[in-house]
Amino acid sequence: MKNEMKLTVPSISANESFVRVAVAAFAARLDPTIEEINDIKTAVSEAVTNAIVHAYKNEVGKIYITVTADEDKLKISVRDRGCGIENVKKAMEPLYTTGGEERAGLGFAVMESFTDRLTVTSKKDKGTTVVMIKKIRSKYGCK
Amino acid sequence: MLIKFKKEKETLTAYLEGEIDHHTAAFARNEIDTELMGGTPAKLILDFGGVTFMDSSGIGLVMGRYKTANSINAALEVSNIPQNIYKLMKLAGLEKLAELKRKD
């Protein structure tokens, strides 16, 4: 049966851990492996951090998280109404960052490699939506 | 996030505990750099044995410590890396900057 949860949090960095743990708790009912849970937590952390560091660079805004679970498929959407990304293709290049030298520029690369599908849509001054699909294989695999 | 340090001859070991994300990375960076610049050792070991979660902020943390260590000619080793974190470090190509040792 399809299930859904929504979370709205202000873009303060203390919420990074809260959101990834909340999404992981929701995902737990799909019976994922520890590795799959780790992948989900890491990918969510990257998306939420991007919203905090980039979308709402000089302000605190709201981050909207929607997660749906359908059979073995988890769909995670992280949306903001921040500054938007002018060049999504460029932003998604590994090592590209506008976040200063302590940022690795790997956020999108991690989301891409730790989930099954990543879609990023953005409009300047309107905001960004990151949608990630993660298939939970353990349920049907040899567990 | 908690960091404990051990100095042994020319080696400084930082034992990292807890979760590394954008929220905690700045604290870790300041702690390690202060300790590192205060003693100028020949080698810095970042012990990840107690790290329970890390995202790409941790990659930035290791890359940044490589730069600091390099500026005082100290080598960098990352040890006791849990499997899921090792996966992320390999994705980032950190083996080019530091010796990576996995947790047994």
PDB file of all heavy atoms in Angstrom, chain A residues 13-14 16 20 35 38-39 41-42 45-46 49 53 101-103 106 110 113-114, chain B residues 19 21-23 29 53-57 59-60 64-65 67 84 87-88 91-92:
ATOM      1  N   SER A  13      21.055  24.410  10.108  1.00  0.00           N
ATOM      2  CA  SER A  13      21.867  23.205   9.921  1.00  0.00           C
ATOM      3  C   SER A  13      21.589  22.096  10.933  1.00  0.00           C
ATOM      4  O   SER A  13      21.822  20.921  10.656  1.00  0.00           O
ATOM      5  CB  SER A  13      23.351  23.559   9.895  1.00  0.00           C
ATOM      6  OG  SER A  13      23.742  24.126  11.124  1.00  0.00           O
ATOM      7  N   ALA A  14      21.063  22.449  12.098  1.00  0.00           N
ATOM      8  CA  ALA A  14      20.728  21.424  13.086  1.00  0.00           C
ATOM      9  C   ALA A  14      19.662  20.470  12.556  1.00  0.00           C
ATOM     10  O   ALA A  14      19.521  19.348  13.039  1.00  0.00           O
ATOM     11  CB  ALA A  14      20.259  22.076  14.380  1.00  0.00           C
ATOM     12  N   GLU A  16      19.637  19.111   9.603  1.00  0.00           N
ATOM     13  CA  GLU A  16      20.190  18.127   8.668  1.00  0.00           C
ATOM     14  C   GLU A  16      20.065  16.715   9.234  1.00  0.00           C
ATOM     15  O   GLU A  16      19.620  15.785   8.559  1.00  0.00           O
ATOM     16  CB  GLU A  16      21.662  18.448   8.368  1.00  0.00           C
ATOM     17  CG  GLU A  16      21.842  19.717   7.539  1.00  0.00           C
ATOM     18  CD  GLU A  16      23.208  20.365   7.665  1.00  0.00           C
ATOM     19  OE1 GLU A  16      24.098  19.789   8.328  1.00  0.00           O
ATOM     20  OE2 GLU A  16      23.392  21.454   7.109  1.00  0.00           O
ATOM     21  N   ARG A  20      17.316  13.561   7.938  1.00  0.00           N
ATOM     22  CA  ARG A  20      17.781  12.265   7.411  1.00  0.00           C
ATOM     23  C   ARG A  20      17.348  11.100   8.304  1.00  0.00           C
ATOM     24  O   ARG A  20      17.026  10.020   7.804  1.00  0.00           O
ATOM     25  CB  ARG A  20      19.294  12.268   7.178  1.00  0.00           C
ATOM     26  CG  ARG A  20      20.163  12.371   8.409  1.00  0.00           C
ATOM     27  CD  ARG A  20      21.660  12.275   8.079  1.00  0.00           C
ATOM     28  NE  ARG A  20      22.462  12.474   9.267  1.00  0.00           N
ATOM     29  CZ  ARG A  20      23.117  13.584   9.583  1.00  0.00           C
ATOM     30  NH1 ARG A  20      23.084  14.612   8.765  1.00  0.00           N
ATOM     31  NH2 ARG A  20      23.801  13.676  10.692  1.00  0.00           N
ATOM     32  N   GLU A  35      22.905  -1.037   4.642  1.00  0.00           N
ATOM     33  CA  GLU A  35      23.564  -0.268   3.583  1.00  0.00           C
ATOM     34  C   GLU A  35      22.572   0.642   2.863  1.00  0.00           C
ATOM     35  O   GLU A  35      22.869   1.812   2.598  1.00  0.00           O
ATOM     36  CB  GLU A  35      24.249  -1.204   2.579  1.00  0.00           C
ATOM     37  CG  GLU A  35      25.124  -0.414   1.619  1.00  0.00           C
ATOM     38  CD  GLU A  35      25.796  -1.259   0.548  1.00  0.00           C
ATOM     39  OE1 GLU A  35      25.557  -2.479   0.505  1.00  0.00           O
ATOM     40  OE2 GLU A  35      26.549  -0.669  -0.247  1.00  0.00           O
ATOM     41  N   ASN A  38      21.769   3.574   5.023  1.00  0.00           N
ATOM     42  CA  ASN A  38      22.880   4.517   4.995  1.00  0.00           C
ATOM     43  C   ASN A  38      22.892   5.347   3.721  1.00  0.00           C
ATOM     44  O   ASN A  38      23.145   6.553   3.753  1.00  0.00           O
ATOM     45  CB  ASN A  38      24.214   3.765   5.109  1.00  0.00           C
ATOM     46  CG  ASN A  38      24.706   3.729   6.542  1.00  0.00           C
ATOM     47  OD1 ASN A  38      24.644   4.726   7.244  1.00  0.00           O
ATOM     48  ND2 ASN A  38      25.170   2.588   6.973  1.00  0.00           N
ATOM     49  N   ASP A  39      22.622   4.686   2.587  1.00  0.00           N
ATOM     50  CA  ASP A  39      22.566   5.391   1.305  1.00  0.00           C
ATOM     51  C   ASP A  39      21.492   6.476   1.346  1.00  0.00           C
ATOM     52  O   ASP A  39      21.705   7.601   0.896  1.00  0.00           O
ATOM     53  CB  ASP A  39      22.230   4.406   0.169  1.00  0.00           C
ATOM     54  CG  ASP A  39      23.392   3.456  -0.122  1.00  0.00           C
ATOM     55  OD1 ASP A  39      24.475   3.648   0.453  1.00  0.00           O
ATOM     56  OD2 ASP A  39      23.191   2.516  -0.918  1.00  0.00           O
ATOM     57  N   LYS A  41      20.124   7.948   4.030  1.00  0.00           N
ATOM     58  CA  LYS A  41      20.493   9.020   4.965  1.00  0.00           C
ATOM     59  C   LYS A  41      21.521   9.971   4.337  1.00  0.00           C
ATOM     60  O   LYS A  41      21.420  11.189   4.475  1.00  0.00           O
ATOM     61  CB  LYS A  41      21.078   8.424   6.253  1.00  0.00           C
ATOM     62  CG  LYS A  41      20.017   7.911   7.209  1.00  0.00           C
ATOM     63  CD  LYS A  41      20.615   7.119   8.349  1.00  0.00           C
ATOM     64  CE  LYS A  41      21.170   7.989   9.455  1.00  0.00           C
ATOM     65  NZ  LYS A  41      21.627   7.173  10.600  1.00  0.00           N
ATOM     66  N   THR A  42      22.485   9.391   3.643  1.00  0.00           N
ATOM     67  CA  THR A  42      23.537  10.219   3.045  1.00  0.00           C
ATOM     68  C   THR A  42      22.954  11.102   1.943  1.00  0.00           C
ATOM     69  O   THR A  42      23.206  12.320   1.912  1.00  0.00           O
ATOM     70  CB  THR A  42      24.667   9.334   2.484  1.00  0.00           C
ATOM     71  OG1 THR A  42      25.057   8.393   3.480  1.00  0.00           O
ATOM     72  CG2 THR A  42      25.878  10.169   2.096  1.00  0.00           C
ATOM     73  N   SER A  45      20.803  13.865   3.369  1.00  0.00           N
ATOM     74  CA  SER A  45      21.650  14.852   4.015  1.00  0.00           C
ATOM     75  C   SER A  45      22.257  15.825   2.996  1.00  0.00           C
ATOM     76  O   SER A  45      22.342  17.027   3.235  1.00  0.00           O
ATOM     77  CB  SER A  45      22.773  14.124   4.786  1.00  0.00           C
ATOM     78  OG  SER A  45      23.334  14.959   5.756  1.00  0.00           O
ATOM     79  N   GLU A  46      22.643  15.275   1.841  1.00  0.00           N
ATOM     80  CA  GLU A  46      23.219  16.115   0.780  1.00  0.00           C
ATOM     81  C   GLU A  46      22.179  17.106   0.253  1.00  0.00           C
ATOM     82  O   GLU A  46      22.477  18.294   0.085  1.00  0.00           O
ATOM     83  CB  GLU A  46      23.697  15.253  -0.402  1.00  0.00           C
ATOM     84  CG  GLU A  46      24.759  14.214  -0.065  1.00  0.00           C
ATOM     85  CD  GLU A  46      26.095  14.801   0.339  1.00  0.00           C
ATOM     86  OE1 GLU A  46      26.301  16.009   0.158  1.00  0.00           O
ATOM     87  OE2 GLU A  46      26.934  14.036   0.866  1.00  0.00           O
ATOM     88  N   THR A  49      21.360  19.750   2.921  1.00  0.00           N
ATOM     89  CA  THR A  49      22.513  20.653   3.083  1.00  0.00           C
ATOM     90  C   THR A  49      22.587  21.648   1.931  1.00  0.00           C
ATOM     91  O   THR A  49      22.843  22.833   2.138  1.00  0.00           O
ATOM     92  CB  THR A  49      23.826  19.844   3.187  1.00  0.00           C
ATOM     93  OG1 THR A  49      23.722  18.954   4.299  1.00  0.00           O
ATOM     94  CG2 THR A  49      25.025  20.766   3.402  1.00  0.00           C
ATOM     95  N   VAL A  53      22.811  25.546   2.476  1.00  0.00           N
ATOM     96  CA  VAL A  53      24.039  26.258   2.112  1.00  0.00           C
ATOM     97  C   VAL A  53      23.849  27.143   0.876  1.00  0.00           C
ATOM     98  O   VAL A  53      24.375  28.250   0.817  1.00  0.00           O
ATOM     99  CB  VAL A  53      25.195  25.245   1.868  1.00  0.00           C
ATOM    100  CG1 VAL A  53      26.450  25.948   1.358  1.00  0.00           C
ATOM    101  CG2 VAL A  53      25.512  24.472   3.137  1.00  0.00           C
ATOM    102  N   GLU A 101      36.016  26.539   0.058  1.00  0.00           N
ATOM    103  CA  GLU A 101      36.976  25.452  -0.094  1.00  0.00           C
ATOM    104  C   GLU A 101      36.750  24.251   0.825  1.00  0.00           C
ATOM    105  O   GLU A 101      37.291  23.179   0.570  1.00  0.00           O
ATOM    106  CB  GLU A 101      38.410  25.971   0.055  1.00  0.00           C
ATOM    107  CG  GLU A 101      38.746  26.477   1.433  1.00  0.00           C
ATOM    108  CD  GLU A 101      40.251  26.750   1.561  1.00  0.00           C
ATOM    109  OE1 GLU A 101      41.040  25.967   1.043  1.00  0.00           O
ATOM    110  OE2 GLU A 101      40.600  27.764   2.188  1.00  0.00           O
ATOM    111  N   GLU A 102      35.939  24.401   1.865  1.00  0.00           N
ATOM    112  CA  GLU A 102      35.684  23.219   2.688  1.00  0.00           C
ATOM    113  C   GLU A 102      34.518  22.383   2.166  1.00  0.00           C
ATOM    114  O   GLU A 102      34.132  21.388   2.761  1.00  0.00           O
ATOM    115  CB  GLU A 102      35.454  23.604   4.152  1.00  0.00           C
ATOM    116  CG  GLU A 102      36.712  24.062   4.890  1.00  0.00           C
ATOM    117  CD  GLU A 102      37.641  22.921   5.365  1.00  0.00           C
ATOM    118  OE1 GLU A 102      37.138  21.853   5.698  1.00  0.00           O
ATOM    119  OE2 GLU A 102      38.859  23.143   5.380  1.00  0.00           O
ATOM    120  N   ARG A 103      33.913  22.811   1.059  1.00  0.00           N
ATOM    121  CA  ARG A 103      32.863  22.006   0.444  1.00  0.00           C
ATOM    122  C   ARG A 103      33.487  21.223  -0.710  1.00  0.00           C
ATOM    123  O   ARG A 103      34.204  21.787  -1.528  1.00  0.00           O
ATOM    124  CB  ARG A 103      31.719  22.889  -0.089  1.00  0.00           C
ATOM    125  CG  ARG A 103      31.088  23.827   0.927  1.00  0.00           C
ATOM    126  CD  ARG A 103      30.317  23.127   2.033  1.00  0.00           C
ATOM    127  NE  ARG A 103      29.492  22.034   1.550  1.00  0.00           N
ATOM    128  CZ  ARG A 103      29.066  21.044   2.335  1.00  0.00           C
ATOM    129  NH1 ARG A 103      29.418  20.998   3.592  1.00  0.00           N
ATOM    130  NH2 ARG A 103      28.317  20.104   1.832  1.00  0.00           N
ATOM    131  N   LEU A 106      30.570  17.607  -4.101  1.00  0.00           N
ATOM    132  CA  LEU A 106      30.167  16.245  -4.456  1.00  0.00           C
ATOM    133  C   LEU A 106      28.708  15.925  -4.112  1.00  0.00           C
ATOM    134  O   LEU A 106      28.275  14.789  -4.254  1.00  0.00           O
ATOM    135  CB  LEU A 106      31.077  15.236  -3.758  1.00  0.00           C
ATOM    136  CG  LEU A 106      32.501  15.152  -4.315  1.00  0.00           C
ATOM    137  CD1 LEU A 106      33.361  14.299  -3.411  1.00  0.00           C
ATOM    138  CD2 LEU A 106      32.499  14.583  -5.724  1.00  0.00           C
ATOM    139  N   VAL A 110      27.017  12.392  -5.025  1.00  0.00           N
ATOM    140  CA  VAL A 110      26.674  11.417  -3.981  1.00  0.00           C
ATOM    141  C   VAL A 110      25.199  11.015  -4.109  1.00  0.00           C
ATOM    142  O   VAL A 110      24.857   9.838  -4.081  1.00  0.00           O
ATOM    143  CB  VAL A 110      26.972  11.989  -2.577  1.00  0.00           C
ATOM    144  CG1 VAL A 110      26.395  11.094  -1.486  1.00  0.00           C
ATOM    145  CG2 VAL A 110      28.478  12.151  -2.378  1.00  0.00           C
ATOM    146  N   SER A 113      24.881   8.679  -7.032  1.00  0.00           N
ATOM    147  CA  SER A 113      25.434   7.334  -6.894  1.00  0.00           C
ATOM    148  C   SER A 113      24.774   6.528  -5.775  1.00  0.00           C
ATOM    149  O   SER A 113      24.792   5.302  -5.809  1.00  0.00           O
ATOM    150  CB  SER A 113      26.955   7.412  -6.761  1.00  0.00           C
ATOM    151  OG  SER A 113      27.356   7.207  -5.453  1.00  0.00           O
ATOM    152  N   PHE A 114      24.169   7.199  -4.798  1.00  0.00           N
ATOM    153  CA  PHE A 114      23.554   6.478  -3.679  1.00  0.00           C
ATOM    154  C   PHE A 114      22.055   6.209  -3.865  1.00  0.00           C
ATOM    155  O   PHE A 114      21.419   5.600  -3.022  1.00  0.00           O
ATOM    156  CB  PHE A 114      23.795   7.222  -2.360  1.00  0.00           C
ATOM    157  CG  PHE A 114      25.192   7.039  -1.817  1.00  0.00           C
ATOM    158  CD1 PHE A 114      26.270   6.751  -2.646  1.00  0.00           C
ATOM    159  CD2 PHE A 114      25.443   7.144  -0.456  1.00  0.00           C
ATOM    160  CE1 PHE A 114      27.550   6.569  -2.152  1.00  0.00           C
ATOM    161  CE2 PHE A 114      26.731   6.972   0.063  1.00  0.00           C
ATOM    162  CZ  PHE A 114      27.780   6.682  -0.794  1.00  0.00           C
TER     163      PHE A 114
ATOM    164  N   GLU B  19      28.605  11.996  14.308  1.00  0.00           N
ATOM    165  CA  GLU B  19      28.175  12.195  12.927  1.00  0.00           C
ATOM    166  C   GLU B  19      28.864  13.408  12.303  1.00  0.00           C
ATOM    167  O   GLU B  19      28.939  14.461  12.927  1.00  0.00           O
ATOM    168  CB  GLU B  19      26.655  12.417  12.889  1.00  0.00           C
ATOM    169  CG  GLU B  19      25.861  11.256  13.500  1.00  0.00           C
ATOM    170  CD  GLU B  19      24.390  11.311  13.164  1.00  0.00           C
ATOM    171  OE1 GLU B  19      23.815  12.424  13.163  1.00  0.00           O
ATOM    172  OE2 GLU B  19      23.810  10.250  12.904  1.00  0.00           O
ATOM    173  N   ASP B  21      28.484  16.003   9.414  1.00  0.00           N
ATOM    174  CA  ASP B  21      27.712  16.628   8.340  1.00  0.00           C
ATOM    175  C   ASP B  21      28.091  18.103   8.305  1.00  0.00           C
ATOM    176  O   ASP B  21      29.029  18.522   8.990  1.00  0.00           O
ATOM    177  CB  ASP B  21      26.191  16.401   8.522  1.00  0.00           C
ATOM    178  CG  ASP B  21      25.649  16.999   9.825  1.00  0.00           C
ATOM    179  OD1 ASP B  21      26.367  17.768  10.490  1.00  0.00           O
ATOM    180  OD2 ASP B  21      24.492  16.685  10.176  1.00  0.00           O
ATOM    181  N   HIS B  22      27.370  18.870   7.511  1.00  0.00           N
ATOM    182  CA  HIS B  22      27.694  20.298   7.378  1.00  0.00           C
ATOM    183  C   HIS B  22      27.596  21.019   8.723  1.00  0.00           C
ATOM    184  O   HIS B  22      28.365  21.912   9.028  1.00  0.00           O
ATOM    185  CB  HIS B  22      26.746  20.883   6.317  1.00  0.00           C
ATOM    186  CG  HIS B  22      26.528  22.351   6.423  1.00  0.00           C
ATOM    187  ND1 HIS B  22      25.351  22.893   6.863  1.00  0.00           N
ATOM    188  CD2 HIS B  22      27.343  23.382   6.159  1.00  0.00           C
ATOM    189  CE1 HIS B  22      25.463  24.205   6.855  1.00  0.00           C
ATOM    190  NE2 HIS B  22      26.650  24.530   6.431  1.00  0.00           N
ATOM    191  N   HIS B  23      26.663  20.532   9.559  1.00  0.00           N
ATOM    192  CA  HIS B  23      26.447  21.145  10.871  1.00  0.00           C
ATOM    193  C   HIS B  23      27.630  20.940  11.816  1.00  0.00           C
ATOM    194  O   HIS B  23      27.975  21.825  12.594  1.00  0.00           O
ATOM    195  CB  HIS B  23      25.161  20.557  11.491  1.00  0.00           C
ATOM    196  CG  HIS B  23      24.793  21.162  12.820  1.00  0.00           C
ATOM    197  ND1 HIS B  23      24.401  22.477  12.952  1.00  0.00           N
ATOM    198  CD2 HIS B  23      24.761  20.637  14.069  1.00  0.00           C
ATOM    199  CE1 HIS B  23      24.143  22.728  14.228  1.00  0.00           C
ATOM    200  NE2 HIS B  23      24.356  21.627  14.915  1.00  0.00           N
ATOM    201  N   ARG B  29      36.758  20.812  12.038  1.00  0.00           N
ATOM    202  CA  ARG B  29      37.824  21.507  11.326  1.00  0.00           C
ATOM    203  C   ARG B  29      38.647  22.369  12.289  1.00  0.00           C
ATOM    204  O   ARG B  29      39.872  22.288  12.325  1.00  0.00           O
ATOM    205  CB  ARG B  29      37.195  22.390  10.238  1.00  0.00           C
ATOM    206  CG  ARG B  29      38.170  23.271   9.506  1.00  0.00           C
ATOM    207  CD  ARG B  29      37.457  24.091   8.459  1.00  0.00           C
ATOM    208  NE  ARG B  29      36.618  25.132   9.043  1.00  0.00           N
ATOM    209  CZ  ARG B  29      35.447  25.522   8.558  1.00  0.00           C
ATOM    210  NH1 ARG B  29      34.951  24.957   7.491  1.00  0.00           N
ATOM    211  NH2 ARG B  29      34.757  26.466   9.144  1.00  0.00           N
ATOM    212  N   PHE B  53      28.070   8.344  11.038  1.00  0.00           N
ATOM    213  CA  PHE B  53      27.461   8.846   9.802  1.00  0.00           C
ATOM    214  C   PHE B  53      28.358   9.907   9.190  1.00  0.00           C
ATOM    215  O   PHE B  53      28.974  10.692   9.901  1.00  0.00           O
ATOM    216  CB  PHE B  53      26.076   9.457  10.057  1.00  0.00           C
ATOM    217  CG  PHE B  53      25.504  10.142   8.845  1.00  0.00           C
ATOM    218  CD1 PHE B  53      24.827   9.407   7.882  1.00  0.00           C
ATOM    219  CD2 PHE B  53      25.689  11.506   8.641  1.00  0.00           C
ATOM    220  CE1 PHE B  53      24.344  10.032   6.734  1.00  0.00           C
ATOM    221  CE2 PHE B  53      25.202  12.130   7.500  1.00  0.00           C
ATOM    222  CZ  PHE B  53      24.530  11.385   6.549  1.00  0.00           C
ATOM    223  N   MET B  54      28.420   9.915   7.870  1.00  0.00           N
ATOM    224  CA  MET B  54      29.158  10.977   7.194  1.00  0.00           C
ATOM    225  C   MET B  54      28.554  11.230   5.821  1.00  0.00           C
ATOM    226  O   MET B  54      28.185  10.296   5.123  1.00  0.00           O
ATOM    227  CB  MET B  54      30.628  10.565   7.038  1.00  0.00           C
ATOM    228  CG  MET B  54      31.491  11.652   6.431  1.00  0.00           C
ATOM    229  SD  MET B  54      33.194  11.120   6.161  1.00  0.00           S
ATOM    230  CE  MET B  54      33.128  10.767   4.414  1.00  0.00           C
ATOM    231  N   ASP B  55      28.432  12.518   5.453  1.00  0.00           N
ATOM    232  CA  ASP B  55      28.052  12.840   4.077  1.00  0.00           C
ATOM    233  C   ASP B  55      29.231  13.575   3.431  1.00  0.00           C
ATOM    234  O   ASP B  55      30.336  13.542   3.962  1.00  0.00           O
ATOM    235  CB  ASP B  55      26.726  13.629   4.033  1.00  0.00           C
ATOM    236  CG  ASP B  55      26.826  15.005   4.700  1.00  0.00           C
ATOM    237  OD1 ASP B  55      27.958  15.474   4.949  1.00  0.00           O
ATOM    238  OD2 ASP B  55      25.767  15.602   4.974  1.00  0.00           O
ATOM    239  N   SER B  56      29.009  14.248   2.316  1.00  0.00           N
ATOM    240  CA  SER B  56      30.154  14.818   1.602  1.00  0.00           C
ATOM    241  C   SER B  56      30.843  15.949   2.375  1.00  0.00           C
ATOM    242  O   SER B  56      31.947  16.352   2.014  1.00  0.00           O
ATOM    243  CB  SER B  56      29.742  15.292   0.205  1.00  0.00           C
ATOM    244  OG  SER B  56      28.944  16.455   0.288  1.00  0.00           O
ATOM    245  N   SER B  57      30.215  16.429   3.440  1.00  0.00           N
ATOM    246  CA  SER B  57      30.880  17.409   4.303  1.00  0.00           C
ATOM    247  C   SER B  57      32.144  16.788   4.905  1.00  0.00           C
ATOM    248  O   SER B  57      33.134  17.479   5.141  1.00  0.00           O
ATOM    249  CB  SER B  57      29.966  17.855   5.438  1.00  0.00           C
ATOM    250  OG  SER B  57      28.750  18.325   4.920  1.00  0.00           O
ATOM    251  N   ILE B  59      33.985  14.589   3.378  1.00  0.00           N
ATOM    252  CA  ILE B  59      34.985  14.580   2.305  1.00  0.00           C
ATOM    253  C   ILE B  59      35.708  15.928   2.307  1.00  0.00           C
ATOM    254  O   ILE B  59      36.926  15.994   2.235  1.00  0.00           O
ATOM    255  CB  ILE B  59      34.312  14.361   0.914  1.00  0.00           C
ATOM    256  CG1 ILE B  59      33.534  13.042   0.893  1.00  0.00           C
ATOM    257  CG2 ILE B  59      35.336  14.419  -0.211  1.00  0.00           C
ATOM    258  CD1 ILE B  59      34.371  11.810   1.023  1.00  0.00           C
ATOM    259  N   GLY B  60      34.917  17.009   2.406  1.00  0.00           N
ATOM    260  CA  GLY B  60      35.485  18.354   2.476  1.00  0.00           C
ATOM    261  C   GLY B  60      36.407  18.496   3.680  1.00  0.00           C
ATOM    262  O   GLY B  60      37.462  19.129   3.596  1.00  0.00           O
ATOM    263  N   GLY B  64      40.276  19.316   3.302  1.00  0.00           N
ATOM    264  CA  GLY B  64      40.790  20.527   3.966  1.00  0.00           C
ATOM    265  C   GLY B  64      41.942  20.208   4.910  1.00  0.00           C
ATOM    266  O   GLY B  64      42.929  20.949   4.969  1.00  0.00           O
ATOM    267  N   ARG B  65      41.844  19.073   5.643  1.00  0.00           N
ATOM    268  CA  ARG B  65      42.920  18.694   6.575  1.00  0.00           C
ATOM    269  C   ARG B  65      44.162  18.258   5.806  1.00  0.00           C
ATOM    270  O   ARG B  65      45.268  18.405   6.276  1.00  0.00           O
ATOM    271  CB  ARG B  65      42.485  17.556   7.519  1.00  0.00           C
ATOM    272  CG  ARG B  65      41.292  17.839   8.425  1.00  0.00           C
ATOM    273  CD  ARG B  65      41.291  19.083   9.279  1.00  0.00           C
ATOM    274  NE  ARG B  65      41.459  20.388   8.709  1.00  0.00           N
ATOM    275  CZ  ARG B  65      40.558  21.068   7.980  1.00  0.00           C
ATOM    276  NH1 ARG B  65      39.408  20.539   7.678  1.00  0.00           N
ATOM    277  NH2 ARG B  65      40.824  22.264   7.520  1.00  0.00           N
ATOM    278  N   LYS B  67      45.109  19.678   3.100  1.00  0.00           N
ATOM    279  CA  LYS B  67      45.760  20.958   2.760  1.00  0.00           C
ATOM    280  C   LYS B  67      46.525  21.526   3.950  1.00  0.00           C
ATOM    281  O   LYS B  67      47.653  21.988   3.813  1.00  0.00           O
ATOM    282  CB  LYS B  67      44.716  21.979   2.284  1.00  0.00           C
ATOM    283  CG  LYS B  67      44.320  21.772   0.841  1.00  0.00           C
ATOM    284  CD  LYS B  67      43.334  22.849   0.395  1.00  0.00           C
ATOM    285  CE  LYS B  67      42.616  22.437  -0.872  1.00  0.00           C
ATOM    286  NZ  LYS B  67      41.375  23.195  -1.072  1.00  0.00           N
ATOM    287  N   ASN B  84      30.582   1.838   5.006  1.00  0.00           N
ATOM    288  CA  ASN B  84      29.748   2.792   4.264  1.00  0.00           C
ATOM    289  C   ASN B  84      30.461   4.120   4.017  1.00  0.00           C
ATOM    290  O   ASN B  84      30.264   4.771   3.001  1.00  0.00           O
ATOM    291  CB  ASN B  84      28.411   3.021   4.998  1.00  0.00           C
ATOM    292  CG  ASN B  84      28.595   3.520   6.404  1.00  0.00           C
ATOM    293  OD1 ASN B  84      29.435   3.003   7.164  1.00  0.00           O
ATOM    294  ND2 ASN B  84      27.840   4.532   6.788  1.00  0.00           N
ATOM    295  N   LYS B  87      33.083   3.701   1.206  1.00  0.00           N
ATOM    296  CA  LYS B  87      32.427   3.786  -0.101  1.00  0.00           C
ATOM    297  C   LYS B  87      32.387   5.243  -0.601  1.00  0.00           C
ATOM    298  O   LYS B  87      32.675   5.540  -1.753  1.00  0.00           O
ATOM    299  CB  LYS B  87      31.004   3.227   0.061  1.00  0.00           C
ATOM    300  CG  LYS B  87      30.205   3.068  -1.195  1.00  0.00           C
ATOM    301  CD  LYS B  87      28.961   2.211  -0.925  1.00  0.00           C
ATOM    302  CE  LYS B  87      27.700   3.006  -1.017  1.00  0.00           C
ATOM    303  NZ  LYS B  87      26.476   2.195  -0.900  1.00  0.00           N
ATOM    304  N   LEU B  88      32.043   6.136   0.315  1.00  0.00           N
ATOM    305  CA  LEU B  88      31.953   7.564  -0.010  1.00  0.00           C
ATOM    306  C   LEU B  88      33.343   8.159  -0.292  1.00  0.00           C
ATOM    307  O   LEU B  88      33.524   8.949  -1.212  1.00  0.00           O
ATOM    308  CB  LEU B  88      31.284   8.282   1.173  1.00  0.00           C
ATOM    309  CG  LEU B  88      30.813   9.716   1.006  1.00  0.00           C
ATOM    310  CD1 LEU B  88      29.873   9.862  -0.165  1.00  0.00           C
ATOM    311  CD2 LEU B  88      30.110  10.179   2.280  1.00  0.00           C
ATOM    312  N   LEU B  91      34.484   7.106  -3.674  1.00  0.00           N
ATOM    313  CA  LEU B  91      33.742   7.854  -4.694  1.00  0.00           C
ATOM    314  C   LEU B  91      34.395   9.215  -4.934  1.00  0.00           C
ATOM    315  O   LEU B  91      34.458   9.712  -6.044  1.00  0.00           O
ATOM    316  CB  LEU B  91      32.275   8.025  -4.240  1.00  0.00           C
ATOM    317  CG  LEU B  91      31.361   8.896  -5.106  1.00  0.00           C
ATOM    318  CD1 LEU B  91      30.903   8.116  -6.331  1.00  0.00           C
ATOM    319  CD2 LEU B  91      30.155   9.368  -4.326  1.00  0.00           C
ATOM    320  N   ALA B  92      34.911   9.799  -3.842  1.00  0.00           N
ATOM    321  CA  ALA B  92      35.529  11.121  -3.923  1.00  0.00           C
ATOM    322  C   ALA B  92      36.997  11.050  -4.344  1.00  0.00           C
ATOM    323  O   ALA B  92      37.626  12.077  -4.582  1.00  0.00           O
ATOM    324  CB  ALA B  92      35.408  11.820  -2.574  1.00  0.00           C
TER     325      ALA B  92
END
